[in-house]
Amino acid sequence: MSERAQTTVLNATEAQIQSRIIEELKAEFDKEFAQTGKQKKMCITTFGCQMNAHDSEKLEGILEQIGYEKTDDENEADFVLYNTCTVRENANLKVYGRLGHLNKLKQNKPSLVIALCGCMMQEDTVIAKIKKSYRFVDIIFGTHNIYKLAELIKTRRESGRMVIDIWKEQKEIVEDLPSDRKYKFKACVNIMYGCNNFCSYCIVPYVRGRERSRKPEDIINEIKRLVEDGVVEITLLGQNVNSYGKNLQDSMSFANLLQEVEKVEGLERIRFMTSHPKDLSDDLIEVFKNSKKICSHIHLPFQSGSTRILNLMNRKYTKDDYLELVRKIKAARPDVTLTTDIIVGFPGETDEDFEHTLDVVKQVKYNSAYTFIYSKRTGTPAALMDDQVSDEIIKVRFNKLHDTIQEIGSNITDKEVGGTYKVLIEEVNEKDNSLVSGRLENNLVVHLKGTKDLIGKIINVKIVEAKGFYFFGELA
Ligand code: SAH
Ligand code: SF4
Ligand code: F3S
């Protein structure tokens, strides 16, 4: 087990069952190692969002405890796991593409174990396709039972057959999974799972299930443990963090949770994502205003600037609501930077609708934005809407949007030159070892001269040059 592998608090029974299986497998692996002298290797590829990335840390933690060593090279792996995403069709196609390559690998190395999990696996059509055309896959599981990975590996070893275990809903939140965190000094913490919003284009509620909040004490305890372990920055994760706590027995708002997190001694920075504009309350803005630890950055997807399209998207706010919300946030923290998600080419989007999207971009002035071409997801209401926009029109709009965002973003970053900011140093620069790279509160990256002993420290950096969406700086 690596030094970074750690165990967080467990739901007693399930956690105990799984850790017993992990021990059994470990004993078998040790025996095999004694015979072959070869340490088994695992390679995990994660597609999609932070939720998946965070799940992968837990999956990696389990595999490490079993005795797998990490490798980035699929070709030398004994266990390959794809944690999949299905938010847009592209994400799906990538997985099928890579499976072709895995098939060849497995022909040369029949002992290779191939496992698929994540959001794509929650779709019946995907499972049917894999069962029919990708028979060489060994283990398939979904988003609700990742904690069972060891048990699934055991079943596969004993049965020799393809093991499929997909749950429609999560039965309980299992609190204790081993986890192999990528960074020693920063970590993500799930505060809730699933989504109840059913935006008409989005498949996430179907593959991640209904909204479930973790208990505040579980969240705070996990954060305390992480801080004891050296973490200074926490990102609270949920599809819609602003509706945190609604389903808890003793209901609690996200604003209240943030106040509790703020009290954790030793924690220096708090981030959260994602915020749905419809649920971002005045209370939250007040907490944000007065906080010493919440970073001055909010990711606030607006998807479209047209109230007509927002209505069709089932987003439950208008263009004016959104702009008013931004005004309040900026009034509370004038230094705030905003980022967003935008969809281009939602069914029925006209030039006029698109102009409203450009207008929001120009008025809000985002530091950066993720722009997506609308992708039809079977099973969502939007997939049945008439008037799908042509590829040519989408391309023109997408490029125009992209250029506008770039221009505004780089104008904003130019203004930061000369300023001094607190930066959390994250790593030695890969391309130039004399540099280290870190993040400002607004999440932008800065490179400066420095050595690895700065990693994990928050230091003052003077910005000397802006390069569009990143900076060069020097110790202040
Ligand atoms: N829960 C988050 C986002 C989850 S998905 C939120 O509500 O903001 C991340 C982003 O993917 C979304 O914000 C949206 O912009 C994009 N997205 C989701 N479904 C999509 C689809 N069918 N086509 C294109 N983009 C999509
Ligand atoms: Fe999808 Fe909307 Fe839920 Fe975000 S809030 S995950 S876009 S349904
Ligand atoms: Fe993709 Fe699932 Fe996230 S569909 S965007 S990995 S919640």
Side-chain angles (χ1 to χ4, degrees):
M1 198 172 83
S2 92
E3 158 185 77
R4 277 177 296 137
Q6 57 136 32
T7 306
T8 51
V9 185
L10 297 186
N11 165 319
T13 48
E14 251 322 317
Q16 280 162 1
I17 296 170
Q18 294 306 318
S19 74
R20 215 177 42 231
I21 297 172
I22 289 172
E23 274 166 33
E24 270 174 44
L25 285 170
K26 171 102 180 67
E28 286 176 30
F29 274 41
D30 285 349
K31 222 193 272 168
E32 285 171 31
F33 178 69
Q35 283 160 6
T36 62
K38 266 208 207 131
Q39 183 83 41
K40 283 192 200 294
K41 293 188 175 157
M42 55 146 153
C43 181
I44 302 183
T45 306
T46 309
F47 301 85
C49 67
Q50 297 243 28
M51 290 285 167
N52 261 17
H54 193 43
D55 284 351
S56 286
E57 291 188 346
K58 295 177 186 165
L59 292 161
E60 199 169 297
I62 296 173
L63 291 172
E64 273 203 345
Q65 288 203 342
I66 293 173
Y68 281 107
E69 206 172 70
K70 202 153 90 179
T71 171
D72 291 331
D73 182 3
E74 242 170 35
N75 297 302
E76 61 167 32
D78 302 282
F79 189 99
V80 171
L81 173 64
Y82 288 171
N83 190 2
T84 63
C85 168
T86 185
V87 78
R88 286 168 290 274
E89 200 187 1
N90 270 349
N92 268 312
L93 296 177
K94 266 190 228 156
V95 170
Y96 289 126
R98 297 211 18 189
L99 277 175
H101 170 68
L102 280 190
N103 190 15
K104 286 197 203 96
L105 267 187
K106 189 154 177 160
Q107 279 164 10
N108 291 329
K109 190 199 241 182
S111 65
L112 174 66
V113 179
I114 298 171
L116 302 176
C117 68
C119 296
M120 228 176 121
M121 301 305 129
Q122 293 292 139
E123 293 181 277
D124 297 341
T125 47
V126 170
I127 300 298
K129 185 167 172 169
I130 294 170
K131 273 159 80 175
K132 184 160 173 264
S133 312
Y134 300 87
R135 293 293 315 160
F136 55 90
V137 172
D138 300 281
I139 299 172
I140 304 173
F141 56 108
T143 56
H144 301 301
N145 53 348
I146 59 165
Y147 68 88
K148 282 184 68 179
L149 175 58
E151 191 175 334
L152 299 173
I153 293 175
K154 178 177 145 88
T155 312
R156 166 71 188 132
R157 284 166 73 88
E158 287 169 1
S159 72
R161 281 206 294 268
M162 185 192 259
V163 174
I164 305 179
D165 192 13
I166 311 287
W167 299 359
K168 282 286 160 231
E169 276 291 333
Q170 196 174 43
K171 291 169 191 160
E172 59 186 331
I173 297 180
V174 175
E175 281 295 343
D176 294 312
L177 288 180
S179 165
D180 184 13
R181 291 190 289 105
K182 201 166 162 208
Y183 298 96
K184 184 113 186 81
F185 51 87
K186 68 171 186 178
C188 290
V189 172
N190 282 115
I191 61 165
M192 60 203 296
Y193 301 93
C195 181
N196 282 356
N197 290 308
F198 290 96
C199 301
S200 64
Y201 50 83
C202 183
I203 202 160
V204 170
Y206 305 87
V207 296
R208 286 271 170 184
R210 292 295 62 70
E211 205 169 276
R212 300 159 318 269
S213 296
R214 286 176 72 197
K215 291 193 206 117
E217 58 269 29
D218 288 338
I219 296 169
I220 299 295
N221 285 339
E222 180 176 344
I223 294 174
K224 282 185 180 156
R225 272 196 307 276
L226 287 165
V227 169
E228 275 164 25
D229 203 33
V231 166
V232 290
E233 179 183 296
I234 288 283
T235 303
L236 304 173
L237 283 187
Q239 292 299 348
N240 175 14
V241 290
N242 304 123
S243 73
Y244 170 79
K246 285 185 181 152
N247 68 329
L248 288 173
Q249 224 168 20
D250 305 315
S251 99
M252 184 189 207
S253 71
F254 182 54
N256 293 143
L257 178 72
L258 279 173
Q259 285 173 310
E260 292 306 309
V261 176
E262 176 113 13
K263 288 181 199 155
V264 175
E265 258 176 61
L267 178 63
E268 300 196 42
R269 277 182 166 186
I270 305 168
R271 299 183 185 278
F272 51 85
M273 70 183 304
T274 301
S275 288
H276 193 307
K278 80 175 164 62
D279 295 312
L280 204 154
S281 67
D282 289 349
D283 284 351
L284 177 64
I285 295 177
E286 198 53 31
V287 170
F288 182 59
K289 180 179 171 180
N290 298 320
S291 169
K292 300 267 179 303
K293 296 184 180 174
I294 302 175
C295 290
S296 252
H297 167 230
I298 297 187
H299 184 65
L300 195 63
F302 76 97
Q303 314 298 359
S304 166
S306 155
T307 296
R308 191 181 74 83
I309 295 289
L310 286 169
N311 197 22
L312 290 171
M313 286 177 162
N314 193 29
R315 290 288 288 181
K316 303 204 170 79
Y317 53 87
T318 63
K319 176 185 179 186
D320 288 343
D321 293 339
Y322 184 87
L323 291 173
E324 172 59 13
L325 181 62
V326 168
R327 193 197 58 73
K328 284 197 271 183
I329 295 171
K330 286 185 173 176
R333 287 268 286 258
D335 65 328
V336 71
T337 59
L338 295 168
T339 54
T340 197
D341 292 350
I342 307 168
I343 296 177
V344 179
F346 185 83
E349 183 188 74
T350 62
D351 282 337
E352 197 191 332
D353 292 319
F354 178 66
E355 285 304 318
H356 283 294
T357 296
L358 284 179
D359 185 44
V360 171
V361 168
K362 286 176 192 159
Q363 289 203 46
V364 177
K365 299 195 171 53
Y366 298 98
N367 254 62
S368 66
Y370 296 93
T371 49
F372 304 109
I373 290 175
Y374 168 73
S375 172
K376 190 173 172 175
R377 306 315 290 134
T378 308
T380 62
L384 301 173
M385 289 180 188
D386 299 332
D387 241 356
Q388 304 277 335
V389 183
S390 77
D391 289 350
E392 295 82 69
I393 292 180
I394 289 182
K395 214 167 151 194
V396 172
R397 288 181 191 160
F398 188 83
N399 289 339
K400 199 164 168 187
L401 179 62
H402 185 260
D403 292 348
T404 310
I405 292 165
Q406 290 280 121
E407 196 188 320
I408 294 174
S410 62
N411 279 343
I412 299 176
T413 45
D414 281 350
K415 291 204 186 104
E416 319 269 22
V417 175
T420 296
Y421 299 91
K422 285 204 172 348
V423 170
L424 171 57
I425 302 299
E426 303 200 333
E427 55 208 358
V428 173
N429 191 294
E430 266 179 27
K431 291 194 195 113
D432 179 348
N433 283 338
S434 70
L435 299 176
V436 288
S437 308
R439 279 178 197 272
L440 282 72
E441 264 190 51
N442 65 18
N443 218 17
L444 289 181
V445 171
V446 58
H447 307 293
L448 61 145
K449 287 261 174 255
T451 48
K452 67 174 190 308
D453 46 289
L454 287 175
I455 292 174
K457 300 216 165 79
I458 295 178
I459 56 172
N460 284 323
V461 174
K462 184 173 172 197
I463 303 297
V464 291
E465 192 183 354
K467 286 274 188 188
F469 290 108
Y470 66 92
F471 300 109
F472 283 105
E474 60 192 22
L475 268 171

